[in-house]
Amino acid sequence: MPATDEDIQSVNYEPATYSDAIVSSSDEEIAYTKKNKAVPTVLPSEKHHEEFIKDCVEIILSEAVFEGTDRKNKVLDFHNPEELEKLFDFEIRNCPSTHESLKKLVRDTVQYSVKTGHPYFVNQLFSSLDPYGLVGQWLTDALNPITPVFTLMEECVLREMRRIVGFKDGKGDGMFCPGGSMANGYAINCARYKYMPDVKAKGLHCLPRLVVFTSEDAHYSVKKMAAFLGLGTDNVYLVKTDSRGRMDVGHLEEEIQKSLSEGAAPFMVSATSGTTVIGAFDPLGEIADVCDKYKLWLHVDAAWGGGALMSKRHRRLLAGIERADSVTWNPHKLLTAPQQCSTLLLQHEGILSAVHSANAGYLFQKDKFYDTKYDTGDKHVQCGRRADVLKFWFMWKAKGTSGLEQHIDKVFENAKFFLDTIKHRPGFELVVEEPECTNICFWYIPPSLRGSISEPNYKEKLHKIAPKIKEKMMKEGTMMVTYQADKERPNFFRIVFQNSGLEKSDMLYLIEEFERLGAEF
Amino acid sequence: MPATDEDIQSVNYEPATYSDAIVSSSDEEIAYTKKNKAVPTVLPSEKHHEEFIKDCVEIILSEAVFEGTDRKNKVLDFHNPEELEKLFDFEIRNCPSTHESLKKLVRDTVQYSVKTGHPYFVNQLFSSLDPYGLVGQWLTDALNPITPVFTLMEECVLREMRRIVGFKDGKGDGMFCPGGSMANGYAINCARYKYMPDVKAKGLHCLPRLVVFTSEDAHYSVKKMAAFLGLGTDNVYLVKTDSRGRMDVGHLEEEIQKSLSEGAAPFMVSATSGTTVIGAFDPLGEIADVCDKYKLWLHVDAAWGGGALMSKRHRRLLAGIERADSVTWNPHKLLTAPQQCSTLLLQHEGILSAVHSANAGYLFQKDKFYDTKYDTGDKHVQCGRRADVLKFWFMWKAKGTSGLEQHIDKVFENAKFFLDTIKHRPGFELVVEEPECTNICFWYIPPSLRGSISEPNYKEKLHKIAPKIKEKMMKEGTMMVTYQADKERPNFFRIVFQNSGLEKSDMLYLIEEFERLGAEF
């Protein structure tokens, strides 16, 4: 079957000359270019490449994976973008680089990157570097796949997730999406299609004004996607939240009534399970009742909080989710699958194909010799796409459902321990007294500000503290925690627990770091 | 800084019991579970995990990367999805798996996957497994990154790509997108925003009927995205193509006139550089003239053909692209970056932020201590997203612009050699006599059908040949080439050259395979 060596050698392939337009290349690189005509060849099985790949893997494993997640190392080695442009060789040139200089670039990339797998990266709604997730991701990359194996894995994982959500027998529909924002967008598209199937062919220009409802604490993607989908940001009506950040269902009903009185067409509520900042869970049962009453599509954005469904102890936070028409759930968040791993789960069978299919004959041939029901590509808006399932499926296989449950219980325990500890610690003040999820929002009040709460410019002073602590934190690289202002509240920190490799001793470390960093302000 | 060993050991973490609801687990796995309480812990630096990761990398490198791209092995080991469900352990269980059984799953995933990096995978608009791309992808995964390094790489790569497109001094705007379909969708959104900025807040319901024009051979994503964006598939007017698959500019102007006479609002033409099946390049200069005349946004979908811009010899195919308002160009196609690597390039500065920004204060704090112009996230619809730049930037660094040019020249040479050879070979008949890109469309006429072209059911008979050859091809796994019907034409094969590791001897192998597989029909 293969071509013989003679065949291959006899091919007279003369590469284009490198002489023209060589820009800013070192002598070493020019010499390298001259003797290495094989650069454009892309078969990794050639000896030259095999050694290079192995060397790079060695560097990545040792410096990014093992060193990068070790408590004794820094979370980041901070440089301003302007400094970084000088320290790091970003520039693209006409001629190739040597393997030696490429290996240096691998090392530099690791050095100057934030180590999001480090235990003290507690900054965002993703973190950790799960060993099984990493293996799954690397395997995906090596296969760059289009293959029934991945389709079958998707069906299996999505069915199990639907079962855990509480859809009857795991039935319904689902897909992996390029991020939770897109999943929310797909949900809006499904909802409006169900409301008015003509919209697919005719568009919105002749329709009444369609209105979506979501809380003022919901993720900004609901507005973003409403604009993208042609509904307009003004037609996302924001519902008030209570003091714990949960949707005010009374106000929801008022807003629905208001839209009806305006002659608009309400069609969907997007509730949130685990808001971005506070981690609040909207009361899904009550919202579902309102949706039933007004015949609205209920979407639940559980991108962040969905992971709690794995735990018998914590899934009550999402009680009522089984009544949703659609659910966004990102395993790359609480369940720490590698970015990105986002899903949309639907109670309704077949709707994704109905909404999104284009039936392009050149892609989805129906005269194949096997059952084409496994060609599920047409239910996506994307054409070519990465297989985001394998890494999560592999983690799930590795840990079992019980392992994922333990993981969730552990991160909730960590959050509670952190909360209970700072409650009794001078200088820490909670934004929300009883947080529901693993994000904990608090002000760190430095010694100089303590006791001056009644002073007129206290809020302005406090507002400036978090950015100062964050600057020092990033420059020292000892941990990474984000801050933000919110409505009337001055800047506060939000710490996020997702990594079940963290222990109580780590919680104490993080608390003490705030005290150390904040002491001088 | 780190917690001491004592601290860590002293934490009394009692995992939830595994005893309840253990479903279909082997005795070995149950025993494993009992002695391994550390499963949910996700620090890869622990010894237990370190060895596992290394073992898996060894398997992936040897079986997927090196063996999987070796000519002497099969492209695929075909099984029906139903068979696969029996052969492969997809099922998710309550309890964890042993490392041994996980390693078997890695091996099985490789075995049952199509080897898209194999030289004889010439089936789709992506293929190859570039060693530098793979290293870049693995490095990205290990960092799971959010980091200025990647933002600066994006700026650098996008600027260089704009320069190569021909935008003045590489200025403009750009972004990495989750696939070419999404890039086309972003382009439509930018175009309609420029046409009527109110659409972002108000939506389409009160606007005139907006119309997009594209050719009947254009990618189906234009229609898909028009539906998703609320414009409606009926408002994508399809322009006829000539015998070589290129947009008929006379007919384009007629369709624009028609839409105006209907009172609709034409706002955009989406031209194609490298159509999906035939690989045709629309005449961009003439189309740009029409766009100027009617003040329409010119988008060029060069997802497939964009790579030809790297070559001084072939970039004339896209002459006029420098007049485009926006360009989709997927380096994961002709330039063989790993999936996915898609870009949208715009001639207009700042438009992406204007169109897509939501200014969520909790994400994009303006009181940071460094210049926040590098926080470019808000110009995306996605929130969290993968860094798709590193792998391509690393390949570009490795090969240099000259290496990418050689790559393109080589794959065009290969296509020409294949074409010239089959032209004079009995049994091969071309669908398009002079293909412009590296996809070559042809019928293979088996001996039994030769000379019977005038018979009444010749077309029906020929239509059934390609599926039969494909079935045999997949079952034997000796190569992978796709087929499709197109308009009035019966099923034909489309072979796609992208892998510059292929030699003339490989072209001969592929041709002889068609002859061997087709002999019996």
Short mmCIF file of all heavy atoms in Angstrom, two decimals, chain A residues 345-369:
data_model
loop_
_atom_site.label_atom_id
_atom_site.label_comp_id
_atom_site.label_asym_id
_atom_site.label_seq_id
_atom_site.Cartn_x
_atom_site.Cartn_y
_atom_site.Cartn_z
N LEU A 345 -28.79 21.61 26.89
CA LEU A 345 -29.64 20.42 27.04
C LEU A 345 -31.09 20.85 26.87
O LEU A 345 -31.50 21.87 27.42
CB LEU A 345 -29.43 19.82 28.43
CG LEU A 345 -27.97 19.54 28.81
CD1 LEU A 345 -27.84 19.28 30.30
CD2 LEU A 345 -27.43 18.38 28.01
N LEU A 346 -31.84 20.07 26.11
CA LEU A 346 -33.23 20.44 25.84
C LEU A 346 -34.18 19.33 26.20
O LEU A 346 -33.86 18.15 26.03
CB LEU A 346 -33.40 20.79 24.36
CG LEU A 346 -32.62 22.04 23.93
CD1 LEU A 346 -31.60 21.65 22.89
CD2 LEU A 346 -33.55 23.11 23.41
N GLN A 347 -35.35 19.73 26.67
CA GLN A 347 -36.38 18.76 27.01
C GLN A 347 -37.07 18.22 25.75
O GLN A 347 -37.68 17.17 25.78
CB GLN A 347 -37.39 19.44 27.94
CG GLN A 347 -38.50 18.57 28.42
CD GLN A 347 -38.66 18.58 29.95
OE1 GLN A 347 -38.90 17.55 30.53
NE2 GLN A 347 -38.51 19.71 30.60
N HIS A 348 -36.98 18.97 24.65
CA HIS A 348 -37.73 18.66 23.43
C HIS A 348 -36.87 17.91 22.42
O HIS A 348 -35.80 18.40 22.05
CB HIS A 348 -38.25 19.94 22.79
CG HIS A 348 -38.90 20.86 23.78
ND1 HIS A 348 -40.18 20.68 24.23
CD2 HIS A 348 -38.40 21.94 24.46
CE1 HIS A 348 -40.46 21.62 25.13
NE2 HIS A 348 -39.40 22.40 25.29
N GLU A 349 -37.34 16.78 21.97
CA GLU A 349 -36.58 16.01 20.99
C GLU A 349 -36.66 16.64 19.59
O GLU A 349 -37.71 17.11 19.18
CB GLU A 349 -37.10 14.58 20.93
CG GLU A 349 -36.33 13.66 21.87
CD GLU A 349 -36.85 12.24 21.90
OE1 GLU A 349 -37.81 11.99 22.64
OE2 GLU A 349 -36.30 11.40 21.18
N GLY A 350 -35.53 16.62 18.90
CA GLY A 350 -35.53 16.99 17.48
C GLY A 350 -35.55 18.48 17.19
O GLY A 350 -35.47 18.88 16.03
N ILE A 351 -35.63 19.31 18.23
CA ILE A 351 -35.80 20.73 17.94
C ILE A 351 -34.55 21.36 17.33
O ILE A 351 -34.65 22.22 16.45
CB ILE A 351 -36.27 21.51 19.20
CG1 ILE A 351 -36.69 22.93 18.78
CG2 ILE A 351 -35.21 21.56 20.29
CD1 ILE A 351 -37.59 23.62 19.78
N LEU A 352 -33.37 20.90 17.74
CA LEU A 352 -32.15 21.53 17.22
C LEU A 352 -32.02 21.37 15.71
O LEU A 352 -31.63 22.30 15.01
CB LEU A 352 -30.91 20.97 17.93
CG LEU A 352 -30.75 21.40 19.39
CD1 LEU A 352 -29.66 20.59 20.06
CD2 LEU A 352 -30.45 22.89 19.49
N SER A 353 -32.36 20.19 15.22
CA SER A 353 -32.30 19.99 13.76
C SER A 353 -33.32 20.87 13.07
O SER A 353 -33.05 21.48 12.04
CB SER A 353 -32.58 18.54 13.40
OG SER A 353 -31.52 17.74 13.83
N ALA A 354 -34.52 20.94 13.64
CA ALA A 354 -35.56 21.75 13.02
C ALA A 354 -35.13 23.21 12.94
O ALA A 354 -35.32 23.87 11.92
CB ALA A 354 -36.86 21.63 13.83
N VAL A 355 -34.51 23.70 13.99
CA VAL A 355 -34.14 25.12 14.04
C VAL A 355 -32.95 25.43 13.15
O VAL A 355 -32.93 26.43 12.44
CB VAL A 355 -33.81 25.55 15.49
CG1 VAL A 355 -33.45 27.03 15.55
CG2 VAL A 355 -34.95 25.26 16.42
N HIS A 356 -31.93 24.57 13.20
CA HIS A 356 -30.63 24.94 12.61
C HIS A 356 -30.30 24.28 11.28
O HIS A 356 -29.37 24.72 10.61
CB HIS A 356 -29.51 24.65 13.61
CG HIS A 356 -29.60 25.45 14.87
ND1 HIS A 356 -29.56 24.88 16.11
CD2 HIS A 356 -29.77 26.78 15.08
CE1 HIS A 356 -29.68 25.82 17.03
NE2 HIS A 356 -29.82 26.97 16.43
N SER A 357 -31.00 23.23 10.91
CA SER A 357 -30.55 22.46 9.75
C SER A 357 -30.61 23.28 8.46
O SER A 357 -31.47 24.12 8.27
CB SER A 357 -31.43 21.23 9.57
OG SER A 357 -32.73 21.63 9.25
N ALA A 358 -29.63 23.03 7.61
CA ALA A 358 -29.64 23.63 6.27
C ALA A 358 -29.72 22.54 5.22
O ALA A 358 -29.91 22.81 4.04
CB ALA A 358 -28.39 24.47 6.06
N ASN A 359 -29.57 21.27 5.64
CA ASN A 359 -29.63 20.13 4.72
C ASN A 359 -28.73 20.29 3.50
O ASN A 359 -29.15 20.08 2.37
CB ASN A 359 -31.07 19.89 4.27
CG ASN A 359 -31.93 19.44 5.43
OD1 ASN A 359 -31.56 18.55 6.19
ND2 ASN A 359 -33.07 20.10 5.61
N ALA A 360 -27.49 20.70 3.73
CA ALA A 360 -26.55 20.82 2.62
C ALA A 360 -26.21 19.42 2.12
O ALA A 360 -25.60 18.63 2.85
CB ALA A 360 -25.29 21.55 3.08
N GLY A 361 -26.62 19.12 0.89
CA GLY A 361 -26.47 17.77 0.35
C GLY A 361 -25.02 17.32 0.28
O GLY A 361 -24.72 16.14 0.41
N TYR A 362 -24.11 18.27 0.11
CA TYR A 362 -22.71 17.88 -0.04
C TYR A 362 -22.07 17.51 1.29
O TYR A 362 -20.97 17.01 1.34
CB TYR A 362 -21.89 18.98 -0.73
CG TYR A 362 -21.92 20.32 -0.06
CD1 TYR A 362 -21.03 20.64 0.95
CD2 TYR A 362 -22.84 21.29 -0.46
CE1 TYR A 362 -21.07 21.88 1.55
CE2 TYR A 362 -22.88 22.53 0.14
CZ TYR A 362 -21.99 22.82 1.14
OH TYR A 362 -22.02 24.05 1.75
N LEU A 363 -22.77 17.80 2.40
CA LEU A 363 -22.21 17.44 3.69
C LEU A 363 -22.88 16.22 4.31
O LEU A 363 -22.24 15.42 4.95
CB LEU A 363 -22.35 18.60 4.68
CG LEU A 363 -21.31 19.68 4.54
CD1 LEU A 363 -21.71 20.89 5.36
CD2 LEU A 363 -19.94 19.18 5.00
N PHE A 364 -24.17 16.16 4.14
CA PHE A 364 -24.91 15.13 4.86
C PHE A 364 -25.62 14.22 3.86
O PHE A 364 -26.82 14.27 3.67
CB PHE A 364 -25.89 15.78 5.84
CG PHE A 364 -25.21 16.75 6.77
CD1 PHE A 364 -25.37 18.11 6.61
CD2 PHE A 364 -24.37 16.29 7.78
CE1 PHE A 364 -24.72 19.01 7.46
CE2 PHE A 364 -23.72 17.18 8.63
CZ PHE A 364 -23.90 18.54 8.46
N GLN A 365 -24.81 13.41 3.18
CA GLN A 365 -25.34 12.51 2.16
C GLN A 365 -26.23 11.47 2.80
O GLN A 365 -25.86 10.85 3.78
CB GLN A 365 -24.19 11.80 1.41
CG GLN A 365 -23.23 12.73 0.72
CD GLN A 365 -22.07 13.12 1.61
OE1 GLN A 365 -22.16 13.00 2.84
NE2 GLN A 365 -21.00 13.59 1.03
N LYS A 366 -27.38 11.28 2.21
CA LYS A 366 -28.32 10.32 2.78
C LYS A 366 -28.15 8.92 2.17
O LYS A 366 -28.80 7.98 2.59
CB LYS A 366 -29.76 10.81 2.59
CG LYS A 366 -30.06 12.10 3.38
CD LYS A 366 -29.98 11.88 4.89
CE LYS A 366 -30.10 13.19 5.67
NZ LYS A 366 -29.57 13.11 7.03
N ASP A 367 -27.29 8.80 1.14
CA ASP A 367 -27.10 7.48 0.53
C ASP A 367 -25.88 6.76 1.09
O ASP A 367 -25.26 5.95 0.43
CB ASP A 367 -27.04 7.59 -1.00
CG ASP A 367 -26.02 8.61 -1.49
OD1 ASP A 367 -25.35 9.23 -0.64
OD2 ASP A 367 -25.91 8.80 -2.71
N LYS A 368 -25.51 7.08 2.33
CA LYS A 368 -24.41 6.36 2.95
C LYS A 368 -24.83 4.94 3.29
O LYS A 368 -26.02 4.65 3.43
CB LYS A 368 -23.97 7.08 4.23
CG LYS A 368 -23.15 8.33 3.93
CD LYS A 368 -22.79 9.07 5.20
CE LYS A 368 -22.03 10.35 4.87
NZ LYS A 368 -22.04 11.28 6.02
N PHE A 369 -23.85 4.07 3.45
CA PHE A 369 -24.17 2.66 3.66
C PHE A 369 -24.40 2.34 5.13
O PHE A 369 -24.68 1.22 5.49
CB PHE A 369 -23.06 1.76 3.08
CG PHE A 369 -21.74 1.90 3.77
CD1 PHE A 369 -21.35 1.00 4.76
CD2 PHE A 369 -20.88 2.94 3.44
CE1 PHE A 369 -20.13 1.14 5.39
CE2 PHE A 369 -19.67 3.08 4.09
CZ PHE A 369 -19.28 2.18 5.06
#
